[in-house]
Amino acid sequence: MRIVFAGTPEFAAGHLAALIAAEEHEVVAVYTQPDRPAGRGKKLQASAVKKLALEHGIAVEQPQTLKDADAQAQLANYHADVMVVVAYGLILPESVLRIPTYGCVNVHGSLLPRWRGAAPIQRAIWAGDSHAGVAIMQMEAGLDTGPVLLEKSLPIGADETSSSLYDKLAQLGPVALLECLADLPSKLSSAQVQDETLVTYAHKLSKEEAQLDWSQPAEVLERWVRAFNPWPVAWLISATGETVKVCRTQVHPGQPGAAPGAILQADKNGIVIQTQEQALAILELQPAGKKPMPAAAFLNGRAEQFPVGRQLGGVSDE
């Protein structure tokens, strides 16, 4: 098939690479976000998808919007059988969805209708889901609302972080996409409409919500830390009022009668803090301006930040 590919980050580039390698398909054009300033010098940087397309001599389009007639006419000129969309970052108007012969299909990092939206990988870990996956869906005007053509799932490990799960789904997605495209007309005719009663939304992450809340159970906070790794990284306010990032934790027995936020232990084995249910042992932390380090290394010279018996609380100035 003649394919127009739309995507921007590394996750999307992996899918584009699979399409390029598939001899039965031809990628006739790539759509990606305009170059953005990045790094200390704030120089314009091309997206991972653009770099890959240019390496293979594929035409690259970077419109600010697809809502105007000229952009839509340019897309129509490629005479695509299908438009494949993976983490593109621009809204596709309904008129655009109708341009390719078979419409537009999207690769989404969740088992729809669970976790529609911007952060499905992180929300699945945070919620304690047993499985994650990718869904290939036919795009509609709504947010991740289209009928599902194909899904593939995998278990979420007990120590899974957003980073590790992202890597696994980045491998699974291209496999699912190629399988779907191999028999697209049949997949479209048998597409499954999403059950609206099962919908959950994966809202965009924020630094503010990454602050650990000691009124939550320890098992929830342990997932919290894994879900926010590698961004924005879970954090707390130490007894001296400093913001400290929390990189790795485990559930630990609590102390009967201790208030949530109470520091129960601070030694080479970890910093143990009481929660609503049980306690959370912090094994790796990252002070401001430093790299992540084991609890023992953190406490060497910073023990005043976690005095046993004190109760943590407070709100960051960030």
Side-chain angles (χ1 to χ4, degrees):
M1 287 191 293
R2 289 175 60 85
I3 296 172
V4 167
F5 183 87
T8 299
E10 200 67 46
F11 184 81
H15 292 72
L16 175 58
L19 291 174
I20 293 171
E23 296 181 357
E24 65 269 31
H25 303 303
E26 180 188 6
V27 180
V28 296
V30 158
Y31 279 68
T32 191
Q33 287 276 327
D35 296 358
R36 306 290 190 199
R40 291 185 177 181
K42 297 298 180 183
K43 294 182 179 179
L44 289 179
Q45 296 288 331
S47 71
V49 163
K50 179 180 179 178
K51 292 175 182 176
L52 182 61
L54 293 177
E55 287 174 10
H56 290 272
I58 301 171
V60 175
E61 304 286 349
Q62 296 177 275
Q64 294 285 350
T65 177
L66 284 169
K67 294 180 180 179
D68 64 71
D70 289 343
Q72 293 180 20
Q74 179 62 41
L75 176 60
N77 285 338
Y78 286 113
H79 302 290
D81 293 309
V82 65
M83 186 173 186
V84 173
V85 182
V86 186
Y88 179 27
L90 279 187
I91 294 174
L92 302 189
E94 201 162 357
S95 54
V96 166
L97 301 180
R98 296 193 296 265
I99 291 176
T101 304
Y102 293 112
C104 302
V105 299
N106 175 245
V107 181
H108 184 71
S110 81
L111 300 173
L112 291 170
R114 189 161 177 80
W115 303 127
R116 293 177 181 173
I121 294 172
Q122 296 91 336
R123 300 298 178 188
I125 292 174
W126 196 355
D129 291 1
S130 62
H131 285 74
V134 293
I136 314 294
M137 66 174 174
Q138 185 174 26
M139 295 181 70
E140 295 181 341
L143 176 66
D144 301 329
T145 59
V148 175
L149 310 181
L150 179 70
E151 282 190 334
K152 287 190 177 294
S153 68
L154 50 76
I156 296 177
D159 58 352
E160 202 84 70
T161 66
S162 291
S163 178
S164 64
L165 184 54
Y166 175 99
D167 290 342
K168 291 177 182 179
L169 296 183
Q171 296 294 319
L172 186 63
V175 174
L177 175 61
L178 291 177
E179 181 179 330
C180 184
L181 293 178
D183 192 19
L184 184 58
S186 175
K187 290 288 192 294
L188 289 168
S189 65
S190 61
Q192 298 295 308
V193 175
Q194 295 185 40
D195 185 344
E196 292 295 321
T197 65
L198 301 178
V199 171
T200 57
Y201 286 96
H203 300 291
K204 186 177 179 180
L205 302 179
S206 70
K207 290 184 178 181
E208 290 73 24
E209 69 177 327
Q211 181 179 11
L212 296 176
D213 179 357
W214 307 114
S215 68
Q216 296 290 326
E219 65 175 24
V220 172
L221 295 179
E222 189 272 338
R223 296 199 304 265
W224 201 313
V225 171
R226 291 188 285 113
F228 284 108
N229 178 344
W231 192 91
V233 185
W235 55 275
L236 54 77
I237 301 295
S238 73
T240 54
E242 297 180 64
T243 299
V244 180
K245 292 181 177 180
V246 178
C247 305
R248 188 165 60 90
T249 62
Q250 65 183 25
V251 177
H252 192 279
Q255 180 176 302
I263 302 170
L264 307 180
Q265 175 184 324
D267 55 31
K268 63 180 182 180
N269 297 314
I271 299 166
V272 180
I273 301 173
Q274 181 71 32
T275 71
Q276 186 64 39
E277 295 177 14
Q278 299 184 291
L280 189 71
I282 302 174
L283 306 178
E284 189 174 80
L285 309 86
Q286 183 177 0
K290 302 289 185 180
K291 293 182 178 181
M293 60 185 68
F298 181 95
L299 292 171
N300 185 19
R302 301 181 185 85
E304 73 282 357
Q305 294 194 38
F306 293 97
V308 175
R310 285 283 296 277
Q311 185 175 356
L312 296 181
V315 178
S316 171
D317 294 330
E318 293 186 352

